[in-house]
Amino acid sequence: MTEDKKSLNFIEHIIEEDLKNGMNRDDLRFRFPPEPNGYLHIGHTKAIGISFGLGLKYNAPVNLRFDDTNPAKEEQEYVDAIKEDIAWLGYKWDQECYSSDYFQQLYDWTVQLIKEGKAYVDSQSAEAIADQKGTTTEPGINSPYRDRSVDENLDLFRRMKQCEFDEGEHVVRAKIDMADPNMLMRDPLMYRILKKTHHRTGDEWCIYPMYDWTHGESDYIENISHSLCSLEFKPHRKLYDWFLDQVYSNDIRPKQREFARLNLSYTIMSKRKLLRLVEEGIVSGWDDPRMPTISALRRRGYTPASIRKFVETVGVAKRENVIDVSLLEFCVREDLNKIAPRVMAVLDPVKLIITNYPEGKEEWLEAENNPEDEIAGSRMVPFSRELYIEKEDFKEEAGRKFFRLTLGKEVRLKNAYIIKGERAVKDAEGNITEIHCTYDPKSKSGSGTDESKRNVKGTLHWVSVAHAIPAEVRIYDRLFSDEAPDGHKDKDFMEFLNPDSLKVITGYVEPSLKEVKPLDQFQFQRLGYFNVDPDSKPEALVFNKTVGLRDTWAKVKPISEKQNTVKTPQNTQKEIPAIEEIKRAGKKYTNLPDDKREILKNKIKEAAKNISIEELEPLFETAVKKAGTRIATMISLGVILNNKGIQPNGLAKDFINKALEDRNELLQNEARELASKYSL
């Protein structure tokens, strides 16, 4: 195997195998199919990167298709925002398509299915249809309308299209198999009545196709070769293929394959919850720089290159996991380090007076724009007798490890002179209002004198008081203080809002920033990376903090981890992690008598209270022969789902369904209990 082959991800392996088995390379075509019911967020960048990345790799076209089948939630505003975001990320689509373009074709195909006895109009309520679905262990019940005549179905469907009925009065269902073990195959809905104005088709239609019916057929119409989607659609693949079977001739047949979504710590990905933040005024809008939307990241100063690098680093996986948000911050920090000009700004100022510098004198000093960029050049910054420096850069008395300004010691002013602290002036409350110092006139940076080469340990940034430009600076931090803000059953995610996620201060910047434009990016030396907010005006500059120079949260995280470690006076070692305790219990579970097994089961349940479903998911792939570990995993899954009040995701459903077919009776019993509870 070549080195290139080793580096392929599993989707690329699928494509390479298809090409080897006779697929024409010119027939490759991909698509990114967002629903225009909200703004794209960081979670979508993975799907965008995969589809458009494959297009670039194979020189194949990529369609941008809007799956606009629900006029109750979709708007043109979202369409425009999605197009802007994808273009900003640097991707170009081949065709701009809309599922609504295919409404007539989908209607005609549905008529054909009705004529073939493969679809029918159901006049039951949604509740009645749901009740008849059955469970994973019990077949569903046929609708009393399942055997309507073809003529009656055609008449009702035509009248549905003509808006003769109210919403919910009728639906169209595919006639497949109410006993199919995959519950999605139990006569799924194809059409429903929605008397809403569509953002593109207006009031032309009052019936709208369901996603499962629309998606695969849209892929087929567009000659998509590989339909790539996230893991929750894996159970839908069987239905995707069934629908294709009804219309497929000898054209390109799309192949659905699934990858793991991008989940990010300290981040909410639910559009519904993000909308709540907007509607309740927690944030200023979808593009508030604290939001995870692409438009918000752009406004905050993130770069397309950094986001693409992040997606590339995360890679393409088959298993869901949570990526630490610090990786995203690392990627933008790395990119901005290469491209962002260095400037000086002071955000918490105290006045510094150089007592032996001539009053009224000013000089312009050369400053390097970016040491990482050889062609970035330099600029001139003004220097004078009175400067602003950061308050934290001065202490009257300090220990040996404080390398900034203190009384009696020397530091260098960046691009300027070496100064020595002489005294501090205080107000009536004891607050320092001025720092007086002296400078060495022969120590000017770059002058080549012996004095300029003198080694001092500290270097401070500064801004000349006479030339400083005041600016509003918005200091952003993570919106949530909890790593999984929506992962708590008994708590609302809003309880984990970080009260310090935004601080607005007035700082001072050097005069070279007077002519900045919105979204220009800079490194405020020694402070972090900042960009110009769109609210900024020449007479009222506004900067956003993009990211700090280093990861300050790395120091915080171990503290919270220590809080989860139980210590006793006799034993100060860390406890065994809960997930390891579950693994150990699984290894001996099947070898115990009933009474001891019940005791161990209770221990597994207690351990499961301290783990997340993401920690448990790797165990879903445990080998069949390791029945005990799979039983312990199933028990733990039940605890997590119950405690967090959530439904099993695609991976969990697959795990449960496989266990139902296992030969181990203990595992079957545990799986059967979950399948019944969650109607799988």
Side-chain angles (χ1 to χ4, degrees):
M1 182 177 288
T2 67
E3 192 64 31
D4 182 59
K5 288 285 185 182
K6 290 180 181 178
S7 67
L8 297 178
N9 62 52
F10 79 93
I11 292 177
E12 291 168 340
H13 274 294
I14 291 170
I15 295 171
E16 291 292 335
E17 192 67 22
D18 289 339
L19 293 174
K20 187 165 47 175
N21 290 334
M23 175 178 276
N24 192 319
R25 197 179 186 93
D26 291 337
D27 289 335
L28 290 177
R29 179 178 286 271
F30 309 101
R31 88 288 176 268
F32 174 63
E35 181 183 0
N37 64 348
Y39 283 71
L40 297 181
H41 54 61
I42 187 65
H44 294 109
T45 59
K46 183 173 183 179
I48 295 170
I50 288 173
S51 293
F52 283 95
L54 289 170
L56 292 170
K57 178 180 177 68
Y58 291 99
N59 194 28
V62 182
N63 286 359
L64 171 59
R65 182 177 73 241
F66 293 95
D67 280 339
D68 54 345
T69 61
N70 187 357
K73 295 183 179 181
E74 297 159 354
E75 299 178 19
Q76 185 62 39
E77 172 192 350
Y78 298 136
V79 171
D80 296 339
I82 289 169
K83 290 165 62 177
E84 181 182 5
D85 288 345
I86 295 173
W88 175 75
L89 285 170
Y91 298 116
K92 294 182 179 180
W93 54 88
D94 180 52
Q95 298 177 19
E96 182 178 321
C97 307
Y98 296 82
S99 292
S100 54
D101 291 339
Y102 316 134
F103 280 174
Q104 185 61 51
Q105 177 64 79
L106 291 166
Y107 178 84
D108 293 342
W109 275 334
T110 305
V111 169
Q112 186 61 37
L113 289 180
I114 291 174
K115 290 180 179 179
E116 294 172 357
K118 296 177 180 178
Y120 63 98
V121 176
D122 197 337
S123 304
Q124 298 181 98
S125 68
E127 292 75 18
I129 292 174
D131 288 343
Q132 293 168 2
K133 277 284 188 178
T135 68
T136 53
T137 56
E138 297 177 357
I141 300 171
N142 286 350
S143 164
Y145 301 101
R146 196 173 196 265
D147 296 321
R148 271 176 163 154
S149 70
V150 169
D151 288 341
E152 184 179 4
N153 281 319
L154 289 174
D155 178 64
L156 286 170
F157 189 40
R158 176 184 58 79
R159 293 168 64 194
M160 286 172 63
K161 181 179 183 294
Q162 293 176 349
C163 304
E164 294 185 20
F165 305 113
D166 293 331
E167 292 186 5
E169 198 168 345
H170 301 289
V171 295
V172 176
R173 298 175 68 180
K175 188 186 291 188
I176 306 180
D177 184 359
M178 291 300 291
D180 195 291
N182 185 331
M183 294 183 66
L184 293 170
M185 301 293 288
R186 297 181 183 180
D187 290 10
L189 268 61
M190 295 177 66
Y191 272 93
R192 77 287 206 198
I193 300 170
L194 281 177
K195 295 187 175 181
K196 304 285 192 302
T197 300
H198 191 278
H199 70 98
R200 294 187 76 245
T201 61
D203 296 321
E204 181 181 352
W205 296 86
C206 63
I207 57 170
Y208 291 93
M210 301 299 291
Y211 177 86
D212 279 325
W213 168 230
T214 308
H215 188 75
E217 313 319 279
S218 298
D219 286 342
Y220 177 65
I221 292 170
E222 295 173 18
N223 291 319
I224 302 302
S225 61
H226 295 81
S227 179
L228 308 174
C229 53
S230 48
L231 276 177
E232 64 263 33
F233 291 100
K234 188 172 184 178
H236 295 245
R237 193 199 294 182
K238 186 175 182 180
L239 180 56
Y240 180 97
D241 288 335
W242 187 90
F243 277 137
L244 283 180
D245 288 340
Q246 313 315 310
V247 301
Y248 174 70
S249 57
N250 292 320
D251 304 316
I252 298 298
R253 182 187 175 99
K255 175 184 289 189
Q256 177 180 307
R257 291 296 181 266
E258 308 82 16
F259 57 85
R261 290 186 305 173
L262 173 58
N263 300 303
L264 207 59
S265 64
Y266 297 97
T267 308
I268 292 289
M269 296 293 195
S270 163
K271 289 181 183 176
R272 176 179 57 82
K273 292 177 179 178
L274 292 175
L275 179 60
R276 182 179 166 192
L277 293 172
V278 174
E279 291 179 336
E280 295 187 16
I282 304 300
V283 295
S284 61
W286 285 97
D287 68 342
D288 185 300
R290 292 167 291 178
M291 292 278 275
T293 59
I294 297 176
S295 57
L297 294 172
R298 177 168 62 245
R299 182 175 179 180
R300 184 162 173 172
Y302 278 68
T303 63
S306 66
I307 295 175
R308 293 198 304 268
K309 178 63 176 178
F310 170 67
V311 172
E312 178 187 337
T313 304
V314 169
V316 182
K318 296 182 180 180
R319 181 175 59 82
E320 297 278 8
N321 58 357
V322 178
I323 305 300
D324 196 318
V325 69
S326 62
L327 176 60
L328 175 61
E329 293 165 348
F330 170 81
C331 290
V332 71
R333 191 181 290 117
E334 287 287 290
D335 190 43
L336 289 175
N337 181 54
K338 301 172 188 173
I339 65 173
R342 275 53 166 167
V343 296
M344 290 193 288
V346 176
L347 305 186
D348 187 17
V350 62
K351 185 177 288 187
L352 178 78
I353 298 176
I354 307 174
T355 56
N356 63 332
Y357 193 89
E359 291 191 35
K361 178 182 177 181
E362 67 176 50
E363 54 184 312
W364 290 77
L365 307 175
E366 186 174 14
E368 189 176 24
N369 284 333
N370 189 342
E372 301 293 325
D373 184 356
E374 293 181 358
I375 64 172
S378 61
R379 68 194 186 286
M380 304 303 290
V381 292
F383 185 82
S384 62
R385 187 173 190 267
E386 296 187 359
L387 311 173
Y388 287 129
I389 66 168
E390 299 286 347
K391 285 181 181 177
E392 68 172 18
D393 281 348
F394 174 76
K395 288 183 180 180
E396 290 185 85
E397 297 180 3
R400 295 172 57 188
K401 293 185 179 181
F402 185 78
F403 299 128
R404 303 174 196 176
L405 183 61
T406 187
L407 299 181
K409 292 187 178 179
E410 291 184 329
V411 296
R412 176 172 291 283
L413 296 175
K414 181 71 174 174
N415 305 308
Y417 298 93
I418 294 175
I419 61 171
K420 181 179 180 181
E422 303 292 351
R423 70 185 184 94
V425 178
K426 302 178 183 179
D427 61 17
E429 285 76 36
N431 299 311
I432 297 174
T433 58
E434 291 179 358
I435 303 163
H436 289 199
C437 67
T438 55
Y439 86 117
D440 181 349
K442 296 181 180 181
S443 64
K444 184 177 178 180
S445 295
S447 63
T449 64
D450 290 341
E451 289 81 359
S452 68
K453 298 176 182 178
R454 194 161 73 250
N455 184 33
V456 292
K457 292 185 177 180
T459 301
L460 309 184
H461 64 279
W462 51 271
V463 176
S464 169
V465 171
H467 305 85
I469 299 176
E472 178 182 314
V473 182
R474 299 170 181 174
I475 307 295
Y476 292 103
D477 206 338
R478 296 176 187 172
L479 186 56
F480 296 97
S481 57
D482 187 87
E483 194 166 1
D486 58 350
H488 303 265
K489 176 187 175 184
D490 300 322
K491 293 185 178 181
D492 182 38
F493 74 98
M494 300 282 261
E495 294 182 37
F496 301 102
L497 287 167
N498 177 9
D500 298 319
S501 64
L502 171 60
K503 293 180 181 178
V504 181
I505 62 175
T506 297
Y508 294 94
V509 300
E510 64 175 66
S512 69
L513 297 177
K514 186 176 182 180
E515 305 297 331
V516 294
K517 301 183 295 297
L519 303 184
D520 282 352
Q521 296 159 317
F522 302 94
Q523 183 195 104
F524 287 1
Q525 290 184 312
R526 300 179 61 242
L527 298 176
Y529 294 97
F530 294 75
N531 82 321
V532 183
D533 189 85
D535 289 343
S536 186
K537 299 178 177 61
E539 67 279 6
L541 298 181
V542 181
F543 291 91
N544 298 321
K545 183 177 182 180
T546 305
V547 68
L549 294 178
R550 57 187 62 85
D551 184 7
T552 56
W553 282 72
K555 299 177 181 178
V556 176
K557 190 173 181 181
I559 296 175
S560 60
E561 290 175 349
K562 290 175 185 175
Q563 290 171 347
N564 293 328
T565 303
V566 179
K567 294 183 178 182
T568 64
Q570 293 80 21
N571 180 11
T572 58
Q573 292 183 340
K574 287 186 178 181
E575 287 189 336
I576 299 171
I579 191 68
E580 292 300 323
E581 192 173 340
I582 292 168
K583 291 179 184 177
R584 293 184 185 186
K587 290 179 180 179
K588 53 187 177 182
Y589 192 87
T590 55
N591 300 324
L592 297 174
D594 290 346
D595 57 339
K596 291 187 177 179
R597 186 183 297 133
E598 193 63 29
I599 294 172
L600 187 58
K601 183 174 182 178
N602 289 331
K603 289 183 178 180
I604 293 171
K605 288 182 175 180
E606 285 300 312
K609 294 178 182 178
N610 299 313
I611 64 170
S612 65
I613 195 167
E614 289 79 15
E615 291 178 90
L616 190 67
E617 283 177 348
L619 297 186
F620 292 171
E621 302 297 328
T622 301
V624 173
K625 63 182 181 180
K626 297 181 179 179
T629 301
R630 300 179 75 213
I631 294 169
T633 303
M634 192 69 68
I635 295 169
S636 302
L637 176 61
V639 172
I640 294 171
L641 295 175
N642 182 66
N643 286 354
K644 295 187 181 298
I646 58 177
Q647 292 289 318
N649 60 18
L651 289 177
K653 290 177 182 177
D654 286 348
F655 176 61
I656 295 170
N657 288 331
K658 287 180 183 177
L660 291 171
E661 302 171 0
D662 197 273
R663 284 182 283 183
N664 187 286
E665 187 175 346
L666 291 173
L667 179 58
Q668 277 189 13
N669 290 338
E670 296 293 344
R672 195 173 293 117
E673 184 178 332
L674 289 185
S676 176
K677 182 174 181 178
Y678 295 101
S679 302
L680 301 182

